[in-house]
Amino acid sequence: MRHYLEPSIRAPKRFLADIPHDAESAAWAESLLTITRVGQVCTVVGNEPSETLSENLWGIHGRPQGCIAVCELEIELLTGRTHQIRGQLAAEGFPLVGDVQYGGAVAQPTEDLGKPEKRDGFLSLGDSEELCLQCCSLEFLEPHLAVDSTGESMVPSQRWKKFSLSGSSWTDFLDAYSCAELSSESVTSSLSDEEPLLTQRREESHDARRQRPTNYRKQSSSRLAQTSTLL
């Protein structure tokens, strides 16, 4: 994915697919990223499991108007720009869950914000401004410590150090949604887009139950992106 970052010290940053004709092109920074994994589409309207997921992610009033589903992404950055992931996905119409600055959540009044609570043993994202973005893996070459007559020095090596997380702050919410049963009788929303989402959700759930053991647990997750359409 390629965008160009407008030269500005202010936030939110502006990422455009093309540099404006009247702009100085050299000042706009090329921004590149790769989406390496697209997760399951999870509805956040229309039935009890979806409404529960919505409340866990945004609280009662934090979900942006028009958002009917979320999807987890893993992303590899090819450049390192300020707000790059947040700004580029928002420019494509998919702001991150909890990202008030880029349209991924509705800001809550200060008096409504409290300390995060734990639900069923894990941290709740009751605060709508809890940004669903985290690093899930890190790799780098481990330097080699060389000792000679002049002392110690660090030299390059071919040993890779790799670190990864097994989950995220929202993994339990998605797991709970995946384990829930959706039925047409539980639908309460009138959004015309919802039935195709529910159909896909049922098919994915059926396939998942056939393909994985009962003790399966979702692997590492990195970023949760909000979507108003099917990916």
Side-chain angles (χ1 to χ4, degrees), residues 32 55 61 72 88-89 138 145 155-156 161 207 209 226:
L32 300 170
E55 184 173 343
H61 306 295
E72 187 177 64
Q88 284 196 259
L89 290 179
L138 181 65
L145 179 63
V155 297
K161 283 289 187 179
D207 292 340
R209 284 196 296 269
Q226 169 193 324

Side-chain angles (χ1 to χ4, degrees), residues 118-123 172:
K118 283 194 174 183
R119 299 180 186 176
D120 300 326
F122 53 86
L123 188 64
D172 289 305

Side-chain angles (χ1 to χ4, degrees), residues 28-92:
W28 288 68
E30 185 180 36
S31 304
L32 300 170
L33 61 79
T34 298
I35 297 176
T36 59
R37 186 182 71 84
V38 178
Q40 173 189 356
V41 175
C42 304
T43 57
V44 291
V45 293
N47 50 75
E48 185 175 351
S50 299
E51 297 290 353
T52 299
L53 176 60
S54 175
E55 184 173 343
N56 283 332
L57 294 176
W58 287 287
I60 299 176
H61 306 295
R63 178 166 58 86
Q65 184 177 7
C67 174
I68 62 173
V70 294
C71 180
E72 187 177 64
L73 305 180
E74 285 188 5
I75 293 173
E76 180 181 355
L77 284 172
L78 304 180
T79 56
R81 313 299 182 196
T82 303
H83 291 194
Q84 182 175 338
I85 294 174
R86 299 166 62 189
Q88 284 196 259
L89 290 179
E92 292 296 315

Side-chain angles (χ1 to χ4, degrees), residues 13 32 48 60 67 83 87 91 102-103 107 155 159 173 185 188-189:
K13 303 296 183 180
L32 300 170
E48 185 175 351
I60 299 176
C67 174
H83 291 194
Y102 288 91
V155 297
R159 298 191 305 272
F173 302 144
E185 291 78 12
T188 58
S189 172

Side-chain angles (χ1 to χ4, degrees), residues 181-197:
E181 291 292 337
L182 300 183
S183 64
S184 58
E185 291 78 12
S186 66
V187 174
T188 58
S189 172
S190 61
L191 290 173
S192 60
D193 305 48
E194 185 179 309
E195 189 54 37
L197 288 173

